[in-house]
Amino acid sequence: MLIQSDWLKSLRGRSFDLELGAIAIIYFVQGAMAISQLAVSFFLKDDLGLSPAEVASMVGITMIPWTIKPLYGLISDGFPIFGYRRRPYLLISSVLGIFSWSSMGLWVTTPFWAIAMIAFGSLSLACSDAITDALIVQRARLEPEGDAGSLQSFSWIASSIGAIMSAYLSGYLLEHFGAKFVFEITAILPLLVGISAFAIADPPMSTVYIVAPDKSATNLESATPATLSRNSQLWMSLKFNFGQLRQAFTNKAIWLPTLFLFIWQATPSSDTAFFYFTTNELKFNPEFLGTIKFFASWAGLLGVWLFQRFFKAVPTRKIFFWTTIISTVLGLTSLLLVTHTNRALGIDDRWFSLGDSLILTVAGRIAFMPVLVLAARLCPEGIEATLFALLMSVINISALCSFQLGAVLTHFLGVTESNFDNLWLLITIANISSLLPLPFLKWLPDEKNGKFHQSNQTTALPDSQSLDIKNELVSEQPEVVLQENP
């Protein structure tokens, strides 16, 4: 596996414990849940007989639970169940996932219930992801400063292993046993989350109290904290979180780059229509598509490694510009397959599709990595986790818009399960439209020597303003403290 050596060294030096193993299983399940993706596509296409436009729209709808991901963290923090904030929500998400995918495998036969159950399955995965991210944050606070990053690497590796293992199986099982069987296999995975929940350290709220800041103090050093009553804890926590977000998003140095990321991701997608073309026109079977997904998973890891090795220090504006240009050009290579030009060049459809998918995956991962870096850098100190989750939700909303716009274009151009005459035009529009965000590159922070700087063309936050906001946030922040049971 192409992972940076310092990641591996930090992970080898870690002391393994039961909770860390449970977290690894949960992240593994999140990656392995991709086993259902091909089955969902074929089920909607073949079993329910939906058109490309309808499937694209439905896939977009199932992404809605991911657009409100920060809400799950707020609910978990503010509304404990029987005094616990993590374990019950993992159990609920586990039960919901088992129910939704079991339903898909046993009795769902209509588009309405299919979209409902797939959305519930998506909700289950998004909720467990948010809760597990919170557990990682909690553990990171107790780690030595040099080891905190290894937790993120550990969770990412566990998820990647799950995705790679499920990639080929998703096609093989679908080819030999059918979509319903794959859904039943998928229903087993959330059960692992429920079992792992019992290994999670989740102190009851009876051992937690919140220390309120002393607003009368002139500085933080002279502040005298006061313990809040139990009834005030929920209100104080919610007030603080919403106050932080309000202050962050009133600063255009944050909301302008966020708007750029939304535009960058919201351009229309042709993926669903292209899937219909590969299966109905080119006759690619599920097992071959699973093979493509398997190698694409490894190509994604290669893209991450290339970014970390060669492009991490490239200024944000520059890498967004060039990755957008290159990704657009590479995306247009699909036209060679759609117009069968590859056959004239003596390249078999399957070999061309496999090579094209690998190249596009590597380029796509390199192009998306700066999004994560930028999102992390935009988060002011003190609200990193909450604001990062909100930024990821904005990106998920833009992906939803991308699918819906793609569905509209697919319908408008008359691309159906058997008519692909205008597919070349759909692919061209989808790829060329990805250049639309380039005029707004100035909305991104201007980086020099790896740091954000303010200039006449940028909206970067001035150092003095950043310091004022930071001090204001810290002075208002309630401190959560563990205490022994009386």
Side-chain angles (χ1 to χ4, degrees):
M1 183 179 295
L2 295 171
I3 304 293
Q4 283 182 293
S5 59
D6 55 341
W7 286 7
L8 294 177
K9 290 178 182 178
S10 63
L11 292 177
R12 283 197 296 266
R14 294 190 56 81
S15 58
F16 192 83
D17 57 66
L18 187 60
E19 183 186 49
L20 191 60
I23 291 175
I25 291 175
I26 296 174
Y27 276 113
F28 171 85
V29 168
Q30 290 174 8
M33 289 295 288
I35 195 173
S36 64
Q37 289 179 355
L38 270 181
V40 167
S41 298
F42 275 94
F43 179 76
L44 297 177
K45 179 179 79 76
D46 295 335
D47 294 49
L48 300 185
L50 301 179
S51 68
E54 291 171 330
V55 171
S57 180
M58 291 180 68
V59 169
I61 292 173
T62 61
M63 297 181 63
I64 291 178
W66 288 95
T67 65
I68 55 173
K69 184 180 172 182
L71 182 62
Y72 312 137
L74 291 175
I75 293 175
S76 172
D77 289 336
F79 298 93
I81 299 176
F82 300 114
Y84 294 91
R85 299 182 298 161
R86 308 297 182 218
R87 191 178 300 135
Y89 286 98
L90 284 175
L91 290 173
I92 291 174
S93 68
S94 173
V95 171
L96 184 60
I98 294 172
F99 169 74
S100 60
W101 291 110
S102 296
S103 299
M104 287 292 294
L106 295 176
W107 58 266
V108 170
T109 57
T110 64
F112 173 80
W113 285 112
I115 194 66
M117 291 302 106
I118 296 171
F120 280 138
S122 182
L123 173 62
S124 165
L125 190 59
C127 181
S128 65
D129 182 60
I131 301 302
T132 315
D133 286 347
L135 292 172
I136 287 290
V137 172
Q138 290 175 194
R139 287 183 64 99
R141 290 173 178 168
L142 304 177
E143 295 288 331
E145 184 175 353
D147 294 338
S150 64
L151 283 171
Q152 301 293 340
S153 302
F154 179 81
S155 61
W156 183 82
I157 290 174
S159 178
S160 298
I161 292 174
I164 290 172
M165 291 182 63
S166 68
Y168 177 74
L169 285 175
S170 65
Y172 177 83
L173 294 176
L174 180 60
E175 175 79 15
H176 295 279
F177 300 97
K180 292 285 187 178
F181 180 80
V182 175
F183 295 148
E184 293 170 2
I185 294 296
T186 305
I188 299 175
L189 295 174
L191 178 62
L192 300 178
V193 175
I195 296 174
S196 300
F198 291 98
I200 298 298
D202 188 16
M205 286 298 291
S206 60
T207 65
V208 178
Y209 67 92
I210 296 180
V211 176
D214 183 2
K215 294 185 179 181
S216 63
T218 56
N219 55 67
L220 295 179
E221 288 75 11
S222 62
T224 303
T227 303
L228 294 175
S229 66
R230 301 292 185 189
N231 294 333
S232 301
Q233 290 185 19
L234 175 59
W235 169 248
M236 186 67 178
S237 177
L238 293 177
K239 180 182 177 182
F240 170 68
N241 286 330
F242 283 112
Q244 288 177 312
L245 293 176
R246 179 185 59 81
Q247 291 181 16
F249 274 99
T250 53
N251 177 13
K252 66 180 182 179
I254 292 178
W255 66 259
L256 274 181
T258 302
L259 182 58
F260 174 86
L261 293 180
F262 176 85
I263 298 174
W264 185 69
Q265 285 288 96
T267 54
S269 168
S270 60
D271 291 348
T272 302
F274 189 73
F275 167 77
Y276 272 73
F277 174 78
T278 58
T279 55
N280 290 0
E281 177 74 13
L282 301 183
K283 306 301 180 182
F284 289 173
N285 61 356
E287 187 169 1
F288 177 70
L289 293 177
T291 302
I292 291 180
K293 287 175 63 67
F294 174 77
F295 285 107
S297 298
W298 286 103
L301 295 182
L302 174 61
V304 173
W305 181 82
L306 289 174
F307 176 82
Q308 294 286 339
R309 180 67 177 84
F310 299 106
F311 304 108
K312 185 169 61 174
V314 178
T316 303
R317 293 185 183 181
K318 184 175 181 179
I319 197 168
F320 265 106
F321 176 81
W322 285 110
T323 54
T324 299
I325 295 293
I326 294 173
S327 296
T328 299
V329 173
L330 291 176
L332 291 173
T333 58
S334 299
L335 294 175
L336 298 178
L337 195 64
V338 171
T339 59
H340 302 299
T341 304
N342 61 292
R343 297 176 182 177
L345 298 174
I347 306 175
D348 181 75
D349 290 340
R350 294 198 171 206
W351 282 110
F352 184 89
S353 181
L354 178 60
D356 194 47
S357 296
L358 296 182
I359 295 173
L360 287 174
T361 300
V362 172
R365 191 59 60 91
I366 293 175
F368 189 73
M369 288 301 294
V371 176
L372 302 179
V373 175
L374 176 61
R377 290 177 175 177
L378 289 176
C379 298
E381 184 177 350
I383 57 171
E384 300 93 340
T386 302
L387 187 56
F388 185 84
L390 189 59
L391 290 173
M392 291 299 100
S393 292
V394 171
I395 292 175
N396 288 327
I397 293 173
S398 66
L400 186 155
C401 294
S402 175
F403 275 101
Q404 298 303 326
L405 289 174
V408 172
L409 274 176
T410 301
H411 176 74
F412 179 77
L413 294 175
V415 178
T416 66
E417 59 272 15
S418 58
N419 182 7
F420 303 104
D421 293 342
N422 288 330
L423 180 58
W424 70 271
L425 183 57
L426 175 61
I427 292 175
T428 302
I429 294 174
N431 280 277
I432 296 300
S433 65
S434 64
L435 299 175
L436 293 177
L438 292 184
F440 308 108
L441 276 174
K442 291 184 178 181
W443 289 355
L444 297 177
D446 186 18
E447 289 181 85
K448 296 177 181 178
N449 300 322
K451 296 182 179 180
F452 288 175
H453 286 263
Q454 185 181 20
S455 66
N456 294 332
Q457 290 80 28
T458 184
T459 58
L461 187 66
D463 292 340
S464 60
Q465 184 181 354
S466 176
L467 184 60
D468 291 340
I469 291 179
K470 175 182 174 182
N471 288 337
E472 183 178 357
L473 291 175
V474 172
S475 66
E476 293 289 334
Q477 181 173 2
E479 180 183 359
V480 179
V481 184
L482 291 178
Q483 66 177 10
E484 297 294 334
N485 282 318

